[in-house]
Amino acid sequence: MYESIKRKFLNRCAYYTSLIKLYPILKKVGSNFLFVDCGANIGDISALFLSKGAIVKSFEPDLLAYSYLLKRFAGKERIEIINKAVADSDGKAMFYYHKERLNKEGIEFTVSSSLLKEKKNVDHMHGMEVETVDLCRYIDSLGREVDILKMDIEGEEIAVLNKMISEETYKKVGLILVETHETKIPGHKEKVASLKQLIQEKRINNIKLNWI
């Protein structure tokens, strides 16, 4: 019970922090605005952009969260919900559940599931195989610029961003908002530091790490 209440509280805190930081952006959203949500979870951020008239593409690999999204946005024509994990290649991969996922019936622990079994708060013995989508290829296939891309993919952001920089896909996005997870994954701190250095060296100004 305690872990569930704690997780719900942390999830809401993250949402309201996001809301405050997104406020200036949300005021500029128009009907042709394209928002891509990588790691949509239960769709709170997607809902914000959808409510402002944006076109929304939401990726969520967790079946429980995906089912919730389908119900939440039933009948909404401007949002597409895609049951795939964002990665640096197309294919299939294991998707590891939060350690508390199998002990609780609520949806609150879907927020921390990851493709990386070394993540501290996942159960590397339990999960499911999911489809992965190459984000660079997906963005190329859209045939237009993405206005805002939100990336909260529980550690996979390093591989994805390195490929986006290598292939210059980041130039097809107005602003990329990324949550990094260096405190939760062994060895990730160094990878984030290297990524920050690469962003600085290439003078990339549309990738914002640790945005919440």
Side-chain angles (χ1 to χ4, degrees):
M1 176 67 74
Y2 169 76
E3 288 298 327
S4 180
I5 293 173
K6 177 183 176 182
R7 185 69 262 169
K8 288 179 180 178
F9 174 76
L10 291 173
N11 290 352
R12 296 319 292 168
C13 286
Y15 168 72
Y16 286 115
T17 300
S18 303
L19 180 59
I20 292 169
K21 293 193 174 183
L22 286 172
Y23 182 72
I25 296 171
L26 290 167
K27 292 195 297 183
K28 301 176 183 178
V29 174
S31 60
N32 196 43
F33 194 100
L34 177 57
F35 174 65
V36 176
D37 194 349
C38 302
N41 194 244
I42 63 171
D44 286 341
I45 304 302
S46 288
L48 287 175
F49 282 88
L50 190 65
S51 70
K52 297 296 183 179
I55 300 165
V56 179
K57 310 289 186 181
S58 299
F59 287 92
E60 178 49 53
D62 190 288
L63 279 177
L64 183 58
Y66 174 69
S67 297
Y68 182 92
L69 289 170
L70 291 178
K71 293 178 183 177
R72 180 174 187 174
F73 298 113
K76 304 292 185 181
E77 296 181 355
R78 296 182 68 82
I79 183 169
E80 180 182 8
I81 303 165
I82 304 162
N83 186 212
K84 293 183 180 182
V86 170
D88 61 348
S89 63
D90 293 314
K92 293 185 178 181
M94 279 302 297
F95 185 66
Y96 299 95
Y97 294 148
H98 189 283
K99 289 179 179 179
E100 295 291 333
R101 170 71 181 276
L102 299 181
N103 300 324
K104 306 289 188 301
E105 294 183 1
I107 201 169
E108 60 269 16
F109 289 103
T110 60
V111 73
S112 299
S113 301
S114 176
L115 293 176
L116 304 183
K117 67 178 180 180
E118 61 268 29
K119 192 166 179 274
K120 292 178 181 179
N121 59 352
V122 301
D123 182 349
H124 69 274
M125 297 296 292
H126 295 96
M128 65 175 293
E129 187 177 69
V130 298
E131 286 190 61
T132 61
V133 58
D134 181 339
L135 186 61
C136 291
R137 181 198 57 75
Y138 176 77
I139 291 173
D140 287 343
S141 74
L142 291 172
R144 57 159 294 178
E145 180 178 289
V146 175
D147 293 286
I148 300 286
L149 187 147
K150 188 217 85 182
M151 191 183 299
D152 184 3
I153 51 178
E154 304 299 325
E156 191 68 14
E157 65 274 359
I158 301 300
V160 172
L161 285 171
N162 276 320
K163 184 170 184 177
M164 289 185 74
I165 293 171
S166 175
E167 297 190 0
E168 297 191 338
T169 312
Y170 71 92
K171 293 182 178 180
K172 299 178 181 180
V173 183
L175 182 63
I176 304 171
L177 303 173
V178 186
E179 182 176 352
T180 57
H181 300 81
E182 58 265 49
T183 63
K184 299 175 183 177
I185 304 171
H188 212 64
K189 184 177 181 179
E190 292 77 14
K191 293 179 181 179
V192 172
S194 296
L195 178 60
K196 287 180 178 178
Q197 183 175 353
L198 179 62
I199 290 171
Q200 183 176 9
E201 288 174 354
K202 289 186 171 291
R203 297 182 179 180
I204 300 171
N205 58 18
N206 67 330
I207 300 178
K208 306 299 181 184
L209 304 180
N210 290 318
W211 75 282
I212 58 170

